[in-house]
Amino acid sequence: MQRHGWSFLIAFLMTGFGLCGTLAARADVCDICGKPITGTVYIVTDQVTGERKLVCSDCIKLPRCYICGLPIKKGEELELPDGRYLCARDAKTVVLKTDEAEQICAGVKDDLDRLFSRFTSFPDNVDVTAIDHIDAYTIFQSESPDLLGCTQPLTGDDGKKRYKISLMTGLPLSELKETCAHEYSHTWVGENVPAERHRRIARDAEEGFCEMVGYLYMDSQNDEAEKKRVMANLYTRGQVALFVEAERRYGFDQVLDWMKYGTTSKLEPGHLEELRNVEMPTAGNAPVAPVTYNNIKNVKPAAPAPATLKLQGILWGSAPTAIINGHSFGINDVSKVKFGETNVTLRCLSIQPSSVFIQNVGSGQKQQLLFPAN
């Protein structure tokens, strides 16, 4: 994920008429140093508050705050080891310690599992680390001034798939949490989206999905400011807004189904109903690990999972689908579901018009579920 929309800068000469004269009459004091401005007036937007500040020609040369983008008054700057600067105000809001950032991300993972427990869970085969801009340069061999986080697929010592989430230090707490939720969403894609489907999903659409998860998480935290930041970001080229609206209109479960089995590569304005166009996979399709991704409706917390396994619906057609405890199953599909406080991995053996046969993969026990659920 990357941050977009940095400082908006306009320079006006304090000679002449019109807007220049209006600005001069209204205020001719620099908002950074407090001294009268003579000559050129620079207007810089505070990326935190949205306020426009008047800056003199001396202060415009000062180091800029990594968070708000404003020049920092001499003697009040905090310089990080990787060369970034923070103003005194924003330095109070950021997470600087590596162990603290990693602990916060572990809490976000738990929150996500609780929030979306009716529908899915997020992978545990994930390692989280904090990086700075020097680390980012080492990883990507290029400057990444707007990098917030990234997700990389790895192979563990045991030969099994793992993911590495790297989060930038020096982020405000809310932005760090949202970034973590975004990156965990990439790991969900790697674990749940079949390879063939993953190749067809547009990059902006996957990023929009991940930002939607972050948005819904911040909504559950009642963090309106961070929700606004997510929606204002140009990173996903409009896909996040479409995903948020699709989730509000059709539900989180159908968004997940579209990610796994949808027939289109991205969401289109005015055609959100295409989210419901899905094709269940044939047996043998496996999830694919994501490539390295740089992270440049008023949803209420999810209700508790059902106390038992329940057949909640059957969609009949050439490729019938059963809904069990909020998860979609085609014939031979395997997925983890939650009931009560327990997670269990099920295989769907067969689907009939009013019943399904399932198998507990762990124990091998088979069971028939009837619809309406009994």
Side-chain angles (χ1 to χ4, degrees):
M1 176 190 283
Q2 293 178 330
R3 179 189 288 113
H4 289 259
W6 274 85
S7 297
F8 172 67
L9 177 63
I10 304 176
F12 293 100
L13 292 178
M14 295 299 292
T15 58
F17 303 94
L19 182 58
C20 300
T22 301
L23 284 172
R26 185 186 66 188
D28 57 357
V29 174
C30 176
D31 287 316
I32 305 302
C33 66
K35 297 179 181 178
I37 299 176
T38 58
T40 304
V41 174
Y42 294 86
I43 300 179
V44 185
T45 300
D46 185 329
Q47 297 300 308
V48 174
T49 66
E51 297 176 304
R52 300 209 298 177
K53 301 292 186 179
L54 300 184
V55 181
C56 68
S57 57
D58 290 330
C59 289
I60 200 66
K61 301 174 185 177
L62 295 172
R64 300 290 189 90
C65 175
Y66 169 67
I67 302 299
C68 68
L70 294 179
I72 308 174
K73 186 176 180 179
K74 289 183 179 180
E76 296 183 359
E77 71 275 8
L78 172 63
E79 183 176 5
L80 302 183
D82 61 0
R84 288 177 293 166
Y85 289 88
L86 290 167
C87 67
R89 180 196 67 187
D90 294 332
K92 298 176 183 179
T93 70
V94 301
V95 179
L96 295 174
K97 296 181 179 178
T98 297
D99 56 348
E100 184 180 359
E102 294 171 357
Q103 184 178 5
I104 289 169
C105 195
V108 170
K109 164 64 165 59
D110 292 340
D111 289 343
L112 290 174
D113 282 337
R114 284 193 295 268
L115 181 61
F116 300 111
S117 61
R118 286 181 55 199
F119 311 106
T120 192
S121 60
F122 290 76
D124 294 316
N125 54 331
V126 178
D127 301 309
V128 178
T129 187
I131 62 174
D132 61 16
H133 275 188
I134 296 175
D135 299 322
Y137 181 83
T138 301
I139 294 171
F140 302 108
Q141 295 300 305
S142 64
E143 295 292 340
S144 302
D146 298 332
L147 185 71
L148 302 181
C150 65
T151 297
Q152 298 167 283
L154 303 171
T155 301
D157 295 337
D158 56 1
K160 295 182 179 179
K161 181 171 59 178
R162 296 192 65 81
Y163 301 91
K164 179 181 179 181
I165 291 177
S166 300
L167 300 170
M168 187 64 65
T169 57
L171 296 181
L173 177 59
S174 293
E175 193 168 11
L176 176 64
K177 287 184 173 182
E178 193 279 328
T179 300
C180 185
H182 176 112
E183 299 302 336
Y184 259 109
S185 301
H186 279 304
T187 69
W188 181 92
V189 171
E191 291 293 288
N192 292 276
V193 176
E196 189 278 331
R197 168 59 176 158
H198 189 261
R199 287 190 290 268
R200 291 189 290 109
I201 296 177
R203 169 69 180 275
D204 289 340
E206 181 169 342
E207 297 297 335
F209 166 77
C210 295
E211 281 288 77
M212 177 206 69
V213 173
Y215 176 92
L216 296 178
Y217 175 54
M218 300 318 296
D219 187 56
S220 74
Q221 303 275 303
N222 298 315
D223 194 326
E224 296 299 322
E226 186 61 17
K227 286 169 58 181
K228 182 178 180 180
R229 186 196 69 81
V230 170
M231 297 302 286
N233 201 330
L234 302 179
Y235 178 50
T236 68
R237 296 175 176 84
Q239 285 291 297
V240 61
L242 294 175
F243 271 96
V244 169
E245 174 60 22
E247 191 279 335
R248 185 196 66 80
R249 189 180 301 182
Y250 298 112
F252 190 73
D253 55 339
Q254 293 203 33
V255 174
L256 296 185
D257 283 348
W258 182 87
M259 288 295 296
K260 293 187 288 186
Y261 312 126
T263 60
T264 54
S265 63
K266 63 180 181 179
L267 302 185
E268 297 287 354
H271 298 282
L272 289 184
E273 72 281 355
E274 293 180 353
L275 183 91
R276 310 179 78 171
N277 296 339
V278 298
E279 291 180 356
M280 295 302 169
T282 58
N285 274 0
V288 61
V291 298
T292 297
Y293 282 114
N294 300 335
N295 178 9
I296 309 247
K297 161 184 180 167
N298 189 15
V299 177
K300 298 180 180 179
T308 60
L309 292 175
K310 290 187 176 182
L311 176 59
Q312 297 168 316
I314 295 176
L315 305 178
W316 197 254
S318 59
T321 303
I323 311 299
I324 303 172
N325 287 40
H327 288 256
S328 299
F329 286 81
I331 297 174
N332 291 324
D333 280 355
V334 176
S335 183
K336 183 183 292 185
V337 303
K338 185 179 181 70
F339 64 94
E341 298 299 320
T342 303
N343 287 303
V344 62
T345 301
L346 302 179
R347 182 189 304 277
C348 180
L349 301 177
S350 67
I351 302 176
Q352 303 300 324
S354 61
S355 66
V356 298
F357 277 90
I358 59 173
Q359 182 181 36
N360 185 317
V361 174
S363 67
Q365 182 180 1
K366 299 179 181 179
Q367 181 180 354
Q368 182 185 30
L369 300 178
L370 302 177
F371 183 78
N374 56 5

